[in-house]
Amino acid sequence: MAIATPFGLSKPVQGADNGQMRNHDTWLVRALTAFVDAMQRAQTVTQARDLAAAEIAVSTRADVVAAMIEANGVAISGPRSNSVAEADLVAASTSGPAAEIAGIGRCDVSVHSGGSDVRLVIVRTQGAISRRERDYLALAAKMLAISVAMLGGAERERDLRMAGLTEIDEHNRLLGTLLKRQQLLDNLGRIERSISQRVPLGQMLATITDAVHQLLGDDLIALRLLDPDDPDYLIVVSDSGVSPDIFNEVRRTPVGAGVGGRAVAEDALVVVDDYPTEAAALEAFVTTGVQAAVAAPVHEQGVVVGSLTVATYDPLRRYGPIEQETVLAFAEHVSLALTDARTVQDMQAAEQVKDNLLAMVSHELKTPLTVMLGVVQTIQRHASRLPDDVRDEMLMSAQERGFELGRLIDRLLEGAQRTASDDLQDASLPAFIAAAVAPYSGSGRHLLIPPVPPQPLRVDVAKVHGALSNILENAITESPEGTPIVIEVDSSGGEVSVTVTAEGRLPHGIDTDALFERAAQPTTSAMGLGLYLASHLAAAAGGSLSAAEADGRMSYTLRFPAGAQAPTAARTRPVVLP
């Protein structure tokens, strides 16, 4: 039984019109599919080694690729493979990401291990190895290791035959090993093709758990992902063999509980041969008789977000190297599917942001432009009949609209520059706020700033200053002249909040919850475009912007981290199922 729980995530795009979405990372899927096809052609460990080196050299356009297998030597491929000695490649594999190799010169070196006895060494002189290439190489190394283990087992069966094993026994064992290897590679290839075809994520994950069950034949398969509402817990999103009687007991469990929970907490493969004595064992599985289990972590964009667990009721079942590598390979493909789905979602969100911005910009720019064109047309048609003072007033109005148009364009350009910046700086909070407020000290408005706490910061100056600038400009523009503007600053729990309060109300019918997202709703450019840009600058800096209205006063609160965001922040938003 495969279960997809509804957590509220939109589906990955299927047949999206945007060409960039359709083609996203198709190279990675095509390269993996070609590598699987190469491994399927291999009949011996030596053939697998040679085909792996040749296929990777073509896919990555590397100068030299070395596939190293303990006890089976080294295969070297690539356009410059004749220029380098095997010993130099072995030395380069432990020298770090850059090396000087005789016959090639200065080059980038990327090393990927598929296990203790399998290594891939990629050498390139032009262009560093990209992230998607590293993802490909990591998966290729694992698939090569699985092929080597299975083909090596088949070769050992042949050796046993020479030691007296009967021909029929040898044939059956050899056939079983090769069939299992073929099934694994077929399943991985099918999964990769499904990813490239944008199969819905829930369906994809169910396909993976079913494939694991069919291949290994074990009693229980469970795929868990972090609960998006509470990342300290894991939720089963797809399973095979979990009894309905205990499903509710194991559906949501803490990170660290069970073998799957340990795999997430430790971000490592976990193998348990005696489940009833395992300290982290889930009571429901102990009661129903689970004897052994293996779990591999699942990642999204490099951050652990779940686990794939395989378990058995058979007291004699053990999960050896081949089974462990198989579970790891399937977990890597879950990671590939999750990362692909997240990337597509992010691209969808970016497209929506672009569409909203274009709609808002069109609205904001159209207003002053309409006034200017109206003035020009009126003067053009009726210049001889217009009194001088009326004509001068009309020209002055057009000039003011032109200045407004220029300010809007400048704001757009500045917002784009700040969003694209990456300007992390160390500062003290009082000095940081003083610098942000300084440009408005000559605005003719009284800015009240209570004492600012002496909090040290490491912050994206351009983005946060840009967001605060738009908020202040909005407050000055929208509040009555002569009234004060209060800027209150607080810091606690690693977060800074800056609240700007001024007299005023939102126009009728505008909801504060949608103020920063609904294009063309506000009545002024300062409120519309300015707050829209402020909210996206805040988000780009890892923060947020909110608004509140009470007692004839408007307050805008900008929140941002006091220090640079840690990469583990991604754990709070794992991909979840529709």
Side-chain angles (χ1 to χ4, degrees):
M1 175 180 63
I3 299 174
T5 54
F7 300 156
L9 180 72
S10 59
K11 295 180 180 179
V13 173
Q14 298 181 68
D17 291 334
N18 185 293
Q20 185 179 7
M21 287 188 183
R22 282 200 307 270
N23 296 326
H24 164 66
D25 259 1
T26 53
W27 173 88
L28 176 58
V29 176
R30 286 199 307 269
L32 285 171
T33 302
F35 189 85
V36 168
D37 291 341
M39 292 298 95
Q40 288 177 319
R41 296 195 302 273
Q43 299 300 312
T44 66
V45 172
T46 300
Q47 287 179 1
R49 181 200 66 191
D50 295 347
L51 287 169
E55 182 59 42
I56 291 170
V58 172
S59 296
T60 62
R61 298 182 181 179
D63 293 88
V64 179
V65 172
M68 303 177 178
I69 300 176
E70 187 177 336
N72 285 90
V74 179
I76 303 175
S77 188
R80 302 184 67 178
S81 57
N82 294 330
S83 303
V84 62
E86 179 180 316
D88 291 336
L89 285 174
V90 174
S93 69
T94 60
S95 64
E100 187 80 29
I101 299 179
I104 294 181
R106 193 69 177 171
C107 55
D108 289 316
V109 179
S110 185
V111 181
H112 299 267
S113 173
S116 59
D117 57 351
V118 174
R119 272 189 302 171
L120 297 176
V121 181
I122 292 81
V123 175
R124 197 156 68 188
T125 56
Q126 298 294 325
I129 304 295
S130 67
R131 190 189 75 177
R132 69 174 185 173
E133 287 174 322
R134 289 194 297 271
D135 291 342
Y136 161 69
L137 293 166
L139 284 166
K142 284 185 171 58
M143 284 188 277
L144 175 59
I146 292 170
S147 289
V148 167
M150 290 185 171
L151 289 169
E155 291 175 358
R156 285 192 293 274
E157 296 289 354
R158 296 190 187 99
D159 294 338
L160 288 173
R161 178 186 176 189
M162 302 302 296
L165 191 68
T166 66
E167 182 174 350
I168 189 168
D169 285 344
E170 189 275 340
H171 178 270
N172 288 339
R173 293 190 186 185
L174 173 60
L175 182 61
T177 299
L178 292 177
L179 283 176
K180 186 169 289 188
R181 169 179 167 271
Q182 184 67 33
Q183 289 171 356
L184 172 62
L185 295 175
D186 285 346
N187 278 310
L188 295 181
R190 182 159 51 90
I191 291 166
E192 290 154 9
R193 285 187 288 273
S194 296
I195 293 172
S196 69
Q197 294 165 3
R198 298 287 182 240
V199 170
L201 182 59
Q203 181 180 334
M204 172 69 66
L205 300 184
T207 297
I208 293 174
T209 51
D210 287 344
V212 176
H213 175 70
Q214 292 171 15
L215 184 66
L216 295 180
D218 287 274
D219 301 296
L220 301 174
I221 316 294
L223 175 59
R224 295 178 174 90
L225 295 179
L226 293 175
D227 184 343
D229 297 323
D230 186 352
D232 289 330
Y233 282 81
L234 292 161
I235 295 181
V236 175
V237 296
S238 183
D239 80 277
S240 178
V242 178
S243 168
D245 296 337
I246 65 167
F247 182 78
N248 288 335
E249 296 180 52
V250 299
R251 175 184 172 272
R252 186 174 185 271
T253 53
V255 171
V259 176
R262 278 187 54 195
V264 175
E266 301 170 20
D267 194 7
L269 181 75
V270 176
V271 182
V272 173
D273 291 332
D274 188 1
Y275 192 84
T277 64
E278 162 65 25
L282 297 174
E283 185 60 32
F285 285 140
V286 173
T287 301
T288 54
V290 170
Q291 299 297 313
V294 57
V298 166
H299 300 85
E300 179 196 326
Q301 297 177 336
V303 178
V304 61
V305 295
S307 64
L308 177 64
T309 304
V310 177
T312 181
Y313 295 124
D314 184 352
L316 301 179
R317 177 74 157 115
R318 293 294 180 267
Y319 295 102
I322 292 179
E323 289 85 0
Q324 293 173 28
E325 290 294 341
T326 299
V327 174
L328 281 168
F330 277 111
E332 290 282 358
H333 280 70
V334 174
S335 302
L336 184 64
L338 293 176
T339 297
D340 182 80
R342 170 62 66 192
T343 303
V344 170
Q345 283 187 311
D346 289 345
M347 293 173 70
Q348 285 180 306
E351 286 294 311
Q352 187 62 53
V353 168
K354 183 186 73 174
D355 291 344
N356 287 346
L357 183 58
L358 286 174
M360 179 169 282
V361 168
S362 298
H363 172 80
E364 300 293 355
L365 297 185
K366 186 176 180 179
T367 301
L369 187 59
T370 300
V371 174
M372 293 169 63
L373 290 174
V375 169
V376 170
Q377 290 174 351
T378 300
I379 293 176
Q380 184 181 38
R381 295 172 182 174
H382 309 290
S384 60
R385 298 193 298 273
L386 290 174
D388 290 346
D389 59 337
V390 173
R391 185 180 64 250
D392 291 345
E393 184 177 346
M394 292 176 66
L395 290 173
M396 181 64 69
S397 175
Q399 184 182 48
E400 290 175 355
R401 298 292 81 74
F403 289 147
E404 180 182 344
L405 192 61
R407 287 194 297 272
L408 286 170
I409 293 172
D410 289 342
R411 179 178 289 170
L412 283 170
L413 293 174
E414 181 183 5
Q417 291 170 350
R418 290 180 184 272
T419 300
S421 73
D422 187 10
D423 186 22
L424 287 175
Q425 295 182 17
D426 294 316
S428 69
L429 183 55
F432 181 81
I433 296 298
V437 172
Y440 300 93
S441 59
S443 64
R445 301 297 295 277
H446 186 32
L447 304 180
L448 297 176
I449 308 176
V452 178
Q455 166 78 43
L457 298 177
R458 181 163 181 77
V459 66
D460 192 319
V461 174
K463 293 185 179 69
V464 177
H465 273 190
L468 188 52
S469 175
N470 278 285
I471 297 169
L472 286 169
E473 187 170 337
N474 174 77
I476 291 171
T477 303
E478 298 299 319
S479 61
E481 292 187 12
T483 59
I485 295 173
V486 181
I487 304 167
E488 298 174 285
V489 183
D490 188 22
S491 64
S492 61
E495 183 182 71
V496 174
S497 65
V498 182
T499 300
V500 177
T501 304
E503 291 187 16
R505 295 180 181 275
L506 286 175
H508 179 71
I510 295 180
D511 185 356
T512 55
D513 292 337
L515 181 60
F516 310 111
E517 298 180 4
R518 295 174 64 180
Q521 197 179 43
T523 57
T524 68
S525 60
M527 182 174 288
L529 186 59
L531 292 181
Y532 186 87
L533 292 175
S535 68
H536 287 284
L537 286 168
S544 63
L545 180 60
S546 60
E549 181 181 10
D551 301 325
R553 295 162 65 84
M554 283 297 304
S555 295
Y556 298 94
T557 300
L558 170 66
R559 293 181 174 85
F560 58 91
Q565 283 186 297
T568 53
R571 264 189 59 161
T572 64
R573 57 175 195 92
V575 165
V576 290
L577 299 182

